[in-house]
Amino acid sequence: MTSSQPDAAAAAVDLPGYAHVHSGKVRDLYAPLDAAGAPRDDQLLLVASDRLSAFDFILETPIPDKGAVLTQLSLWWFEQLHDLVPNHVVSTDVPAQVAGRAVLVRRLEMLPVECVARAYLTGGGLREYQADGHVSGVRLPDGLVDGSRLPEPIFTPSTKAPVGEHDQPMPYADVVAAVGERTAQRAKDLTTRILARGNEIAAARGILIADTKVEFGIDGDELVLADEVLTPDSSRFWPADQWEPGHTQPSFDKEYVREWLISPASGWDKASGQAPPPLPDEVLERTRAKYVEAYERLTGRTFVAG
Ligand code: Q0Z
C-alpha cells in the first residue's frame, strides 16, 4: 500500500463491547465480545465507513452518509433476494456510533473465491474478450464492444487478493478444486441469478448493473449470501439513459469524483503516484446525492440520514 494512504485500521472506531478484527479499504469488521470479554466466534459486526476509493486511492474526504446508504441498500437487496438465497444478516441493532451503517451477521466459513457475474462487457472482462473471444472460459459472440450487453449473465470468478493488490481471474476448474463440484456449481448458479434478478429490478428504475461481486459462506450444508450485495461498491452501476456501447460508460456514483480528479481544476496527476487532493464541497455534495439517488430509485424509499 502507498504510504500516503490512511491506515484503514486507524480509521476504524473504538466500539465498546466489540473487538476490531480487520479493515478493508472502506469497511471495518468487529467481533462482539461475550460476557467474559472474549470475542464470540459465531458473529461479526460489519461496519461500512464513508470512505470512497477512486483510481485505487482511498480519498481523504469522506462522503457523508455513504456507509449508511450502502448498508441500507444491501439490506434491501437481501430482502429482494430472500427467495433465491439465505443471507447472513442477524440484526441491525448495533452500537449508536455506527447506527444505520452496521449489521450484525452470522460468522460463516467463507468461500476462498470472489464470485463475480457480468451482464455487460467492460473492464477486465472486456480485456479478456479482446484477447481471444472468451471471458472466464465462456465463448462470447463476435463484435462485442465496451458496454455491450451479454446474451445472459456469465460467471467470472476471481481470486481474493491481499489488500492493495488486484483480484485475478480464476478458472472455473480452480473454483471446483477449491470448494468442490457441488458448491462451485451452486455458487455459479446463485451469482448469475442474483445479477439477473438485480437487473430485472434495476432496469425498471433506470439503472443498469454491469457486473457484481458477491461473497458466499457456508453454514452447515447451506450456502449463505454474505458481505454486501448489489451496491455501487461491489458492482458497476450505469445510468440506463446514457448507456451507449462502444466506449467507457459513465459510473452512476463516481463520475463527478473521477471527472474532477482528472480535470486541471484538481491539480492532480493520476500518474504521479501522489495521493489525490481533498474534494471540493460541490463534488462531495453531488457524489453524496448520487449514492442517495441510487438508493431511492432502486428501493422507492426516501433515504433518511441518522
Ligand atoms: C467478510 C470484509 C472488512 C467488511 C470476512 N458473514 C461473514 N462471516 C465470516 N467472514 C465474513 C463475513 Cl461477511 C467476512 N469479509 C470482508 C472485510 C470489512 C467485510 F474489513 N471478511
Side-chain angles (χ1 to χ4, degrees):
M1 188 180 292
T2 316
S3 59
S4 55
Q5 288 296 283
D7 176 14
V13 294
D14 184 52
L15 292 178
Y18 294 82
H20 176 248
V21 172
H22 178 75
S23 285
K25 277 186 173 180
V26 301
R27 295 173 309 150
D28 309 298
L29 211 51
Y30 297 78
L33 302 176
D34 66 19
R40 289 176 62 145
D41 64 6
D42 60 338
Q43 293 185 347
L44 288 168
L45 185 75
L46 226 69
V47 182
S49 76
D50 291 341
R51 303 193 289 274
L52 179 143
S53 124
F55 299 118
D56 270 338
F57 285 92
I58 310 295
L59 303 187
E60 68 180 79
T61 316
I63 306 297
D65 299 321
K66 173 176 177 275
V69 172
L70 268 54
T71 297
Q72 297 309 307
L73 183 58
S74 240
L75 287 167
W76 182 82
W77 279 120
F78 279 130
E79 281 173 33
Q80 307 306 305
L81 299 167
H82 203 263
D83 61 311
L84 274 184
V85 58
N87 63 66
H88 69 163
V89 176
V90 170
S91 167
T92 54
D93 187 6
V94 298
Q97 276 167 280
V98 293
R101 60 186 179 92
V103 189
L104 194 65
V105 303
R106 271 194 270 175
R107 191 175 205 147
L108 306 165
E109 200 62 56
M110 301 302 286
L111 300 192
V113 178
E114 301 281 12
C115 289
V116 178
R118 300 173 189 272
Y120 295 78
L121 192 60
T122 192
L126 174 66
R127 282 187 292 277
E128 278 187 51
Y129 171 77
Q130 286 168 338
D132 71 351
H134 294 73
V135 180
S136 202
V138 180
R139 170 79 214 202
L140 295 177
D142 289 337
L144 301 181
V145 296
D146 195 349
S148 289
R149 185 184 169 103
L150 301 177
E152 60 185 353
I154 56 171
F155 183 56
T156 65
S158 58
T159 59
K160 286 187 179 179
V163 175
E165 287 171 43
H166 286 122
D167 298 340
Q168 297 296 322
M170 184 175 181
Y172 183 70
D174 291 6
V175 180
V176 172
V179 304
E181 180 79 60
R182 205 179 85 100
T183 300
Q185 187 54 242
R186 177 126 177 90
K188 172 184 173 175
D189 183 60
L190 284 174
T191 304
T192 50
R193 284 199 206 189
I194 286 165
L195 182 56
R197 171 78 63 85
N199 265 316
E200 278 169 28
I201 293 172
R205 282 110 159 145
I207 292 173
L208 305 180
I209 307 174
D211 46 38
T212 195
K213 177 160 79 183
V214 293
E215 291 215 34
F216 296 101
I218 293 176
D219 186 3
D221 61 1
E222 77 173 355
L223 208 51
V224 178
L225 182 58
D227 216 0
E228 61 178 338
V229 62
L230 296 171
T231 70
D233 277 6
S234 67
S235 319
R236 283 188 177 90
F237 282 17
W238 294 341
D241 61 356
Q242 289 175 59
W243 177 52
E244 190 183 70
H247 58 84
T248 307
Q249 307 301 303
S251 151
F252 194 94
D253 50 314
K254 290 181 184 169
E255 199 55 18
Y256 295 125
V257 169
R258 291 189 185 145
E259 286 290 321
W260 181 77
L261 284 176
I262 59 176
S263 78
S266 77
W268 181 63
D269 176 9
K270 190 165 162 293
S272 69
Q274 300 274 310
L279 302 176
D281 283 352
E282 201 214 342
V283 175
L284 180 156
E285 244 336 297
R286 289 173 80 165
T287 299
R288 179 192 179 277
K290 293 307 283 185
Y291 284 105
V292 171
E293 184 189 345
Y295 171 84
E296 294 190 335
R297 273 163 76 162
L298 288 168
T299 67
R301 296 176 181 169
T302 301
F303 175 75
V304 185

